[in-house]
Amino acid sequence: MQINQTSINTPQSGAAPTGPGRVISSDFDTFLKMLTVQMTNQDPLNPIDSADYAVQLATFSGVEQQAKTNQLLTALSLQMGASGMAQMASWVGKEARAPVAGFFDNSPITVAPNPVSYADRVELVVRNATGIEVQRMSIPVSADPVQWAGVGDDGLPLPSGLYTFEVVNYDAEGEVFLQEQADIYSRVQEVRSEGGQTILMLAGGVGVLATSVSALRDPAYF
């Protein structure tokens, strides 16, 4: 098995440090030099008030402290992100439940419908990646999982690809009063951190926010 190693650039011995710490230190040295020049060239008959020096020092100290605080918060954010990624690494290989498209590859897809309890009748509508309806079937008014085998009304398997599932709720008069996308179970293939958010990459290249996942299960038991 070939393992790709990521090159890590380490500073050479004696190289000048870089980053926010160096900038703050450099700015503070510059400030002290400017303050020294200001004191050296002041009018001896009209010296600068010591209170002005105090204000300048306090102002610079506040800016310096804010810069250090921002640097610390950035480091903490990165550390928390790495910690969250490490904790969610165990999700890879599990099946996550979320309202996303499911990838059909001739294996059944588990749909987790959530119909309204007082619906008179419920249907499950299946659409392909282009949004075309490929199947419509009646399902129980229950939140129990439904196994979609991917077989069309003609008895032939549907093409491999992404499919979405909608739950249609009908009232006693046969009118639709709620239609929404159903959750499905899909295998987690990768966990990513993008823009401060954790994203799960599911089968078929489908991405979903980790916060949108309502359940997780081990496929070995189903």
Side-chain angles (χ1 to χ4, degrees):
M1 178 184 294
Q2 182 178 359
I3 300 177
N4 295 326
Q5 296 182 345
T6 302
S7 175
I8 301 177
N9 295 324
T10 55
Q12 297 180 354
S13 177
T18 60
R22 183 189 178 195
V23 173
I24 294 174
S25 177
S26 176
D27 288 346
F28 187 68
D29 290 342
T30 302
F31 174 77
L32 290 179
K33 290 179 181 179
M34 293 177 61
L35 189 60
T36 302
V37 172
Q38 184 181 17
M39 295 176 65
T40 303
N41 294 280
Q42 66 179 331
D43 186 353
L45 300 178
N46 185 25
I48 299 175
D49 192 338
S50 59
D52 293 338
Y53 288 123
V55 171
Q56 293 180 43
L57 285 170
T59 301
F60 183 83
S61 177
V63 173
E64 180 186 24
Q65 186 61 39
Q66 184 62 48
K68 289 182 178 179
T69 300
N70 292 341
Q71 183 181 359
L72 177 60
L73 289 175
T74 300
L76 287 174
S77 178
L78 292 174
Q79 184 177 2
M80 292 177 65
S83 176
M85 288 284 290
Q87 292 178 358
M88 299 189 70
S90 61
W91 287 29
V92 176
K94 301 293 181 62
E95 288 186 340
R97 188 179 76 184
V100 296
F103 182 69
F104 176 66
D105 58 355
N106 295 320
S107 297
I109 294 177
T110 302
V111 183
N114 190 25
V116 179
S117 59
Y118 53 84
D120 186 73
R121 181 168 59 90
V122 179
E123 287 184 338
L124 183 66
V125 178
V126 185
R127 301 182 186 276
N128 62 19
T130 62
I132 297 176
E133 180 179 322
V134 297
Q135 198 168 42
R136 180 182 292 258
M137 66 188 76
S138 295
I139 61 174
V141 185
S142 169
D144 292 339
V146 175
Q147 293 293 327
W148 183 70
V151 178
D153 296 334
D154 56 2
L156 298 177
L158 293 170
S160 298
L162 293 173
Y163 292 86
T164 57
F165 303 85
E166 296 176 352
V167 176
V168 185
N169 297 268
Y170 294 88
D171 59 21
E173 284 72 36
E175 298 292 332
V176 176
F177 66 89
L178 181 62
Q179 182 170 344
E180 60 184 0
Q181 185 170 353
D183 289 355
I184 61 113
Y185 280 94
S186 184
R187 189 182 295 268
V188 179
Q189 297 181 334
E190 183 183 2
V191 179
R192 296 181 181 177
S193 179
E194 297 181 2
Q197 295 180 313
T198 302
I199 299 176
L200 306 181
M201 299 305 299
L202 309 177
V206 177
V208 62
L209 291 174
T211 53
S212 297
V213 174
S214 56
L216 199 68
R217 72 181 191 181
D218 190 337
Y221 295 96
F222 296 91

